[in-house]
Amino acid sequence: MTRRYRNIAYFSVLLALSVALPYLFHIVVPQGGRIFLPMHFPVQLAGFLISPIAGLLLGTFAPIFNFLISGMPPFPLFVTMMFELSIMGLICGLLGKRFNPLWALIIAILASKFSLALGWWIIFVLGIKTPITNEAIIGVSLGTLISGFPGIAIQILVIPSLTLIIGKTRKLPEKDK
């Protein structure tokens, strides 16, 4: 299997997980998506295991697909999550090759919260009715660190280890044939 096909397979599985995990969490735990952040896991893995572009693309499309399939996250939250997750996937991919995956993940999580604020601000500037005010954007975005703390803690425990384990098990040639 060449690198290209492996990456397509990884992306496909992670895309499916980015839709299935939030759906399962919403069934099992009320407000489970806000607490455990299940859509974040596949996006982070796409950045770490495939490429920064794969992380960016999965982070962009996962909220859209989830909204179209399940109606969650609701509008306009899914738009702001596109900003949040795309930056998270991109940074995981960019920093994951250069730094320890744990530090890359922490930086990506923090940067994603500022991207979430940017998404809210753009929606506000466009005049789309939102449940928050312009003054509350930063507070709401940083508040997701608190509400999503259980999910962030699980990410910090699982994603770096999983990235290293999967990275060590795939011994493929560097060039496509």
Side-chain angles (χ1 to χ4, degrees):
M1 179 186 298
T2 65
R3 177 179 292 248
R4 172 186 283 157
Y5 294 125
R6 182 205 61 216
N7 287 344
I8 290 170
Y10 277 177
F11 190 86
S12 300
V13 168
L14 292 171
L15 179 60
L17 284 173
S18 74
V19 174
L21 287 175
Y23 185 75
L24 292 173
F25 272 86
H26 284 289
I27 290 173
V28 175
V29 180
Q31 299 299 318
R34 292 180 186 211
I35 297 168
F36 295 107
L37 312 172
M39 206 181 313
H40 294 208
F41 290 83
V43 172
Q44 294 162 350
L45 288 172
F48 282 126
L49 298 176
I50 305 171
S51 72
I53 299 300
L56 177 97
L57 290 173
L58 190 62
T60 301
F61 290 113
I64 295 170
F65 288 158
N66 275 283
F67 175 75
L68 293 173
I69 292 169
S70 69
M72 295 297 287
F75 180 82
L77 180 59
F78 86 87
V79 176
T80 63
M81 286 185 67
M82 289 169 53
F83 285 91
E84 175 188 24
L85 293 179
S86 63
I87 293 302
M88 179 179 286
L90 177 70
I91 292 175
C92 284
L94 289 173
L95 299 182
K97 306 287 187 238
R98 294 177 178 87
F99 301 104
N100 178 305
L102 174 62
W103 291 110
L105 179 62
I106 291 170
I107 292 168
I109 289 169
L110 293 174
S112 74
K113 298 310 172 189
F114 289 106
S115 299
L116 181 65
L118 176 65
W120 279 116
W121 182 79
I122 289 171
I123 285 176
F124 186 79
V125 167
L126 292 174
I128 298 170
K129 186 176 179 176
T130 65
I132 62 172
T133 64
N134 188 31
E135 296 80 21
I137 289 173
I138 296 294
V140 168
S141 298
L142 293 178
T144 61
L145 286 170
I146 296 168
S147 64
F149 183 77
I152 292 169
I154 295 169
Q155 290 167 20
I156 289 171
L157 291 172
V158 172
I159 296 296
S161 300
L162 196 56
T163 299
L164 293 172
I165 290 167
I166 294 172
K168 287 181 181 179
T169 60
R170 58 179 190 176
K171 302 289 186 201
L172 294 175
E174 290 297 316
K175 293 170 51 178
D176 283 338
K177 293 183 180 181

